[in-house]
Amino acid sequence: MRFLIPLLLLAQPLSAQERVQLTGEVIDTWCYFSGVMGGPDSVVGSAHHTCALWCSAGGIPVGLLAPDGQVYMVLKMAGDATTNGGDTNLHVASHTLDVDGMLYRRDGLNYIVVETVTADQDIINATHEDFGVIPGFAIPEDEAAR
Amino acid sequence: MIRPLFLAALLAAPIAAQAQDFAAGSEAKTWNLYAEEPARFTARVTDPLCELTGDCAADCGAGSRQLVLIREADDAMIFPLKNKQPAFTGAVNELAPFCQQVIEVDGLMLNDPDIGAVNVYLVQRLKPEGGDWRNADQWTKDWAEANPNALRPDGEAKGPWFRRDPRIRSEIEAEGYLGLGLEVDGPFIADWF
């Protein structure tokens, strides 16, 4: 028995994994989880797109927000592991994507390695119609004069 | 004999973690967030992609990948989303020099399971083993060094980084502030101000 336990532990994968196909919006996880800018509905989609660009370029992790409210922390996007401010994540900020990849769970968070983006629906969540822009200073005032 | 011991060890681990008061000794400043709790603890800095999948890179990705903290007290994986700066900046630049090292961190833990926020963290300061506390405010310094000539849309070389970042400017120039195209931006901006 004593020898079986180490063998069983060695036989475990690094972490349980599962192949998934899901649809989700690429979100800025800090604003979404913290509520620093407002409620969850206001920090997604077009209303929050400029802030999502800032946060993605600033190295805040992006997540995929599925229609059921589950958030998947992105560890690779279309095979690109440059998740600290990388171009791949920046280009799809606020986009709704259909993806195929591997799902991992640990300590209450979902993590996803996106192997393939099977469809990019662009930005379809027109939240600016309800919220304007979040934060309010996302668009500089001098844009009005241009 | 081994079976009762094994079970006892399994049962004892979560109890030990629950008993740990991670707020003790914290000097974290509040951000007045709904689910924030001060949290100071020691942890190993590592790459979650490597930790979860075995896809490892030298030096935890040398600043290119997201990083996590494996808390010593309970082996929990904590995801630092944010550094100290109120400037839309993450935590990787702060932690990357300490790949696979055990450091002490102080900041705010967020736990709001209703929206999926579990074990996510804002790091305000950190202390390497044998070193002194340092603020987690490296990000904007790194950006300034990498972008010495970045200008705002009006040509000014001053102001916050996110107004001057060339990649952000390029995205906005192509798709607008709403990301829906310049033809949508125009009427919206006219109405917004």
Side-chain angles (χ1 to χ4, degrees):
Chain A
M1 181 65 190
R2 187 175 303 176
F3 303 106
L4 277 178
I5 292 172
L7 285 174
L8 286 170
L9 290 174
L10 285 172
Q12 296 288 320
L14 287 170
S15 184
Q17 57 180 306
E18 177 188 347
R19 177 161 293 282
V20 291
Q21 292 82 37
L22 57 88
T23 298
E25 180 183 329
V26 179
I27 63 164
D28 146 25
T29 57
W30 170 250
C31 287
Y32 189 81
F33 282 152
S34 71
V36 69
M37 297 282 173
D41 291 345
S42 67
V43 291
V44 294
S46 55
H48 192 251
H49 176 63
T50 295
C51 187
L53 291 173
W54 296 345
C55 290
S56 184
I60 288 173
V62 307
L64 282 173
L65 173 62
D68 65 0
Q70 289 285 307
V71 176
Y72 300 84
M73 309 300 290
V74 173
L75 298 181
K76 268 190 179 179
M77 181 65 86
D80 184 356
T82 311
T83 47
N84 180 27
D87 286 342
T88 304
N89 283 342
L90 185 67
H91 290 322
V92 294
S94 319
H95 289 208
T96 294
L97 306 178
D98 300 338
V99 305
D100 181 293
M102 299 303 294
L103 167 65
Y104 303 81
R105 293 188 175 92
R106 179 158 171 184
D107 296 319
L109 283 180
N110 303 312
Y111 295 87
I112 189 166
V113 174
V114 174
E115 294 177 357
T116 310
V117 176
T118 52
D120 180 347
Q121 302 180 42
D122 211 328
I123 301 176
I124 57 173
N125 194 6
T127 50
H128 71 286
E129 294 171 358
D130 294 322
F131 298 103
V133 287
I134 305 289
F137 60 85
I139 304 176
E141 283 191 33
D142 59 9
E143 284 289 351
R146 293 183 189 197
Chain B
M1 180 60 191
I2 189 76
R3 190 175 300 174
L5 280 178
F6 188 59
L7 287 173
L10 285 176
L11 289 170
I15 292 169
Q18 286 168 11
Q20 179 92 30
D21 180 6
F22 295 112
S26 174
E27 296 177 14
K29 305 286 191 299
T30 181
W31 277 43
N32 295 309
L33 303 172
Y34 167 72
E36 72 176 34
E37 293 173 7
R40 173 178 168 173
F41 55 90
T42 55
R44 176 172 57 90
V45 177
T46 190
D47 162 15
L49 199 52
C50 178
E51 199 76 15
L52 292 171
T53 77
D55 177 356
C56 304
D59 295 329
C60 301
S64 65
R65 295 180 171 194
Q66 288 296 325
L67 297 173
V68 291
L69 299 164
I70 307 298
R71 192 164 53 194
E72 280 199 316
D74 56 0
D75 203 40
M77 182 185 280
I78 309 296
F79 204 154
L81 309 181
K82 188 74 194 74
N83 75 347
K84 179 182 181 177
Q85 300 174 299
F88 314 100
T89 46
V92 173
N93 290 30
E94 320 298 332
L95 300 172
F98 308 105
C99 169
Q100 300 304 342
Q101 294 181 36
V102 173
I103 63 172
E104 189 169 2
V105 293
D106 194 6
L108 299 172
M109 192 71 70
L110 300 183
N111 276 305
D112 188 357
D114 289 346
I115 57 170
V118 180
N119 289 318
V120 293
Y121 191 60
L122 178 154
V123 59
Q124 296 186 354
R125 60 180 188 143
L126 59 91
K127 186 161 85 76
E129 203 165 15
D132 295 325
W133 284 104
R134 63 180 73 180
N135 285 326
D137 59 1
Q138 185 62 35
W139 197 96
T140 54
K141 298 168 192 169
D142 291 346
W143 182 90
E145 192 174 321
N147 297 275
N149 302 313
L151 303 175
R152 293 190 318 208
D154 61 6
E156 291 289 329
K158 60 184 181 183
W161 75 271
F162 48 86
R163 298 280 191 214
R164 296 188 284 135
D165 184 82
R167 295 190 304 148
I168 293 171
R169 284 192 57 189
S170 174
E171 293 285 337
I172 292 172
E173 283 164 11
E175 299 286 348
Y177 290 93
L178 302 173
L180 299 172
L182 302 180
E183 68 282 7
V184 179
D185 253 31
F188 175 81
I189 290 172
D191 183 57
W192 182 245
F193 289 104

